[in-house]
Amino acid sequence: TKKERKLQNSLIVVPWKDEQEYDELKTTLFSDDTELAQLSMRKVKIWMNLQNNCPVQHVMEYTVLLLEAQLFDQGRSISSDMSSSYNTHVNENAIEFIVQQNYCMVLIRFINGLLDPLQNSVYAIPLMKLCEKIGIPKYIVEMRHQATHERIMPCLEMLRFAVSNCLTWVRKNYWDMEAFELQDEEEEEDDDDGAEEADLNDKEKKEAKQKQK
């Protein structure tokens, strides 16, 4: 049938069972409840390990990396039994450095993963032009450049701000859009069902008229 042919041409394998599972995953990933968010991140990681059978889109993977970087930053703590103020200061600096490195690594992977597939020209397109094309703020690409090539990493406050904005972009341009497309597909299927039913009714009416003649 027309519907079956259309489905075969547009078939995409996804790891979630249905729209409800996808909506629940999106809600819990961006939840303020850390435990719920971590459970959803584990689910995505399981899907990633099974991606030979059911591929996970890279944006979904980057979402988990960004969220984990934030959780790592929020969950860091200094041991309370540090009696020396010097040791405490040294450890605070060391942990802050690790957090900065983690944010930089995630930011580099996120930008490279998004922009590299867009390099489909004979000559390399400047990353700034590519980021404009998909709506990524220029300063994030500049921070990615600094994190990759400069001796001094971006400051922690700017890294936090950049990762937060990356998550906002991901939610708006992937998670919410994916949910919209799922809903749109269901509406198209309903329209196709109605059109097919109307075609069958017309065919039956024509056959009935021919028999009467």
Side-chain angles (χ1 to χ4, degrees):
T1 64
K2 180 182 176 182
K3 179 181 176 183
E4 289 172 342
R5 289 196 300 271
K6 186 175 180 180
L7 284 174
Q8 287 174 354
N9 293 332
S10 61
L11 185 64
I12 299 174
V13 179
V14 293
W16 52 87
K17 179 176 64 177
D18 52 28
E19 186 181 352
Q20 181 180 352
E21 184 179 12
Y22 178 86
D23 287 337
E24 288 175 357
L25 179 70
K26 181 182 75 170
T27 302
T28 52
L29 266 178
F30 295 96
S31 170
D32 292 330
D33 188 324
T34 302
E35 290 185 6
L36 281 177
Q38 287 177 327
L39 284 172
S40 293
M41 286 185 243
R42 290 193 196 108
K43 177 181 281 191
V44 174
K45 286 183 174 180
I46 291 171
W47 290 348
M48 287 161 57
N49 290 329
L50 301 172
Q51 62 181 345
N52 287 335
N53 297 322
C54 191
V56 172
Q57 291 182 317
H58 290 307
V59 179
M60 190 177 281
E61 178 184 348
Y62 301 145
T63 302
V64 171
L65 290 174
L66 292 164
L67 288 169
E68 283 185 331
Q70 280 190 334
L71 287 176
F72 179 72
D73 184 13
Q74 294 165 5
R76 65 193 176 98
S77 61
I78 306 298
S79 177
S80 59
D81 60 358
M82 292 284 187
S83 57
S84 167
S85 60
Y86 171 76
N87 285 339
T88 302
H89 178 70
V90 170
N91 277 275
E92 283 178 347
N93 287 341
I95 291 175
E96 184 170 304
F97 182 77
I98 293 170
V99 172
Q100 279 180 280
Q101 282 188 319
N102 192 41
Y103 272 134
C104 285
M105 181 273 294
V106 170
L107 204 60
I108 291 167
R109 289 192 63 183
F110 175 71
I111 294 299
N112 288 353
L114 281 182
L115 300 186
D116 283 353
L118 302 178
Q119 291 284 9
N120 50 16
S121 176
V122 177
Y123 302 102
I125 304 170
L127 294 184
M128 286 296 182
K129 287 187 176 180
L130 292 177
C131 79
E132 283 181 11
K133 185 177 180 180
I134 62 174
I136 294 286
K138 289 184 179 180
Y139 82 89
I140 293 179
V141 180
E142 290 171 352
M143 288 180 67
R144 172 256 176 210
H145 179 87
Q146 182 181 351
T148 305
H149 302 290
E150 301 293 335
R151 185 176 64 86
I152 300 175
M153 292 185 292
C155 69
L156 187 53
E157 289 75 17
M158 282 303 299
L159 286 166
R160 287 169 177 157
F161 183 70
V163 167
S164 178
N165 277 297
C166 287
L167 280 168
T168 300
W169 185 93
V170 164
R171 183 163 190 174
K172 178 182 177 181
N173 292 277
Y174 173 73
W175 292 94
D176 291 344
M177 288 298 294
E178 189 75 24
F180 176 77
E181 288 174 7
L182 286 171
Q183 183 180 357
D184 194 45
E185 284 174 9
E186 286 189 355
E187 289 175 356
E188 284 183 5
E189 286 181 11
D190 291 339
D191 290 343
D192 289 343
D193 289 342
E196 273 191 35
E197 188 175 344
D199 290 341
L200 286 172
N201 289 336
D202 289 341
K203 187 177 180 181
E204 288 174 358
K205 287 178 182 178
K206 288 179 181 178
E207 288 177 353
K209 285 182 179 179
Q210 289 177 353
K211 287 179 180 178
Q212 288 175 358
K213 290 177 181 180

